[in-house]
Amino acid sequence: IDAEFVQRAIAQQVDKYSKVAGGTAARISREFQAVLDGADKVAEKFGDSHVSTEVMFVALLAGNSDEARALRE
């Protein structure tokens, strides 16, 4: 894995996100909610009672987001 490539690809994706300023409550994106939901399903499939970092990573890679595609490259 080319760590510098991954770091640049992630930085490019983060730069595309909306910026929140002021006193409004931050909300998670639909994509992140999909990763959380997917991680819950993966953990359940593996018989885990909690969602570990590894399970989150598996769920992220299984998704269709720009981040998932960048990580799979």
Side-chain angles (χ1 to χ4, degrees), residues 38-52 55:
D40 192 44
K41 290 177 184 174
V42 171
E44 186 176 302
K45 180 180 176 182
F46 290 149
D48 293 339
S49 60
H50 66 283
V51 175
S52 65
V55 168

Side-chain angles (χ1 to χ4, degrees), residues 47-64:
D48 293 339
S49 60
H50 66 283
V51 175
S52 65
T53 305
E54 294 84 0
V55 168
M56 288 284 291
F57 193 67
V58 168
L60 175 62
L61 288 174
N64 293 318

Side-chain angles (χ1 to χ4, degrees), residues 6-69:
V6 172
Q7 194 171 25
R8 282 191 307 273
I10 291 171
Q12 288 173 348
Q13 291 302 319
V14 169
D15 287 343
K16 293 179 185 179
Y17 296 148
S18 301
K19 307 296 185 263
V20 177
T24 59
R27 298 176 190 227
I28 62 173
S29 67
R30 286 188 309 273
E31 292 87 0
F32 186 52
Q33 185 63 53
V35 170
L36 293 175
D37 293 342
D40 192 44
K41 290 177 184 174
V42 171
E44 186 176 302
K45 180 180 176 182
F46 290 149
D48 293 339
S49 60
H50 66 283
V51 175
S52 65
T53 305
E54 294 84 0
V55 168
M56 288 284 291
F57 193 67
V58 168
L60 175 62
L61 288 174
N64 293 318
S65 67
D66 291 339
E67 295 79 8
R69 283 189 287 279

